[in-house]
């Protein structure tokens, strides 16, 4: 899509706007990646905590048959 502008200020503003849009898109992608990594670490930590709890629970001896 070709745009025609009547002044150099408009061209400059359009270029700055496009640059800011690209920067925002990159930041959103970075935030999404960081959130996925945080979620994965949280899941691993949660799994490890459950495993530690299971390992620390005393094992009950089977009750003697009567």
């Amino acid at each position: 899509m070709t745009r025609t502008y009547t002044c150099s200020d408009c061209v400059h503003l359009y270029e700055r706007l496009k640059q800011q849009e690209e920067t925002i898109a990159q930041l959103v992608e970075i935030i999404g990646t960081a959130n996925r990594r945080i979620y994965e670490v949280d899941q691993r930590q949660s799994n490890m905590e459950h495993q530690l709890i299971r390992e620390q629970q005393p094992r009950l001896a089977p009750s003697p048959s009567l």
Side-chain angles (χ1 to χ4, degrees):
M1 176 183 210
T2 305
R3 300 207 187 255
T4 10
Y5 298 99
T6 56
C7 64
S8 63
D9 286 341
C10 294
V11 172
H12 176 71
L13 289 175
Y14 178 76
E15 290 172 358
R16 290 278 315 243
L17 180 63
K18 291 305 286 179
Q19 183 181 24
Q20 288 178 353
E21 287 176 352
E22 291 172 6
T23 301
I24 290 169
Q26 290 173 347
L27 290 172
V28 167
E29 189 175 326
I30 290 168
I31 291 169
T33 300
N35 283 343
R36 278 190 299 276
R37 288 181 180 168
I38 290 169
Y39 176 77
E40 290 169 357
V41 167
D42 183 55
Q43 291 299 308
R44 282 193 301 244
Q45 180 180 358
S46 179
N47 290 339
M48 289 177 70
E49 287 173 356
H50 289 313
Q51 182 178 357
L52 285 172
I53 290 170
R54 278 185 263 139
E55 289 175 358
Q56 290 176 356
Q57 289 177 347
R59 303 207 187 270
L60 301 175
S63 55
S65 316
L66 294 177

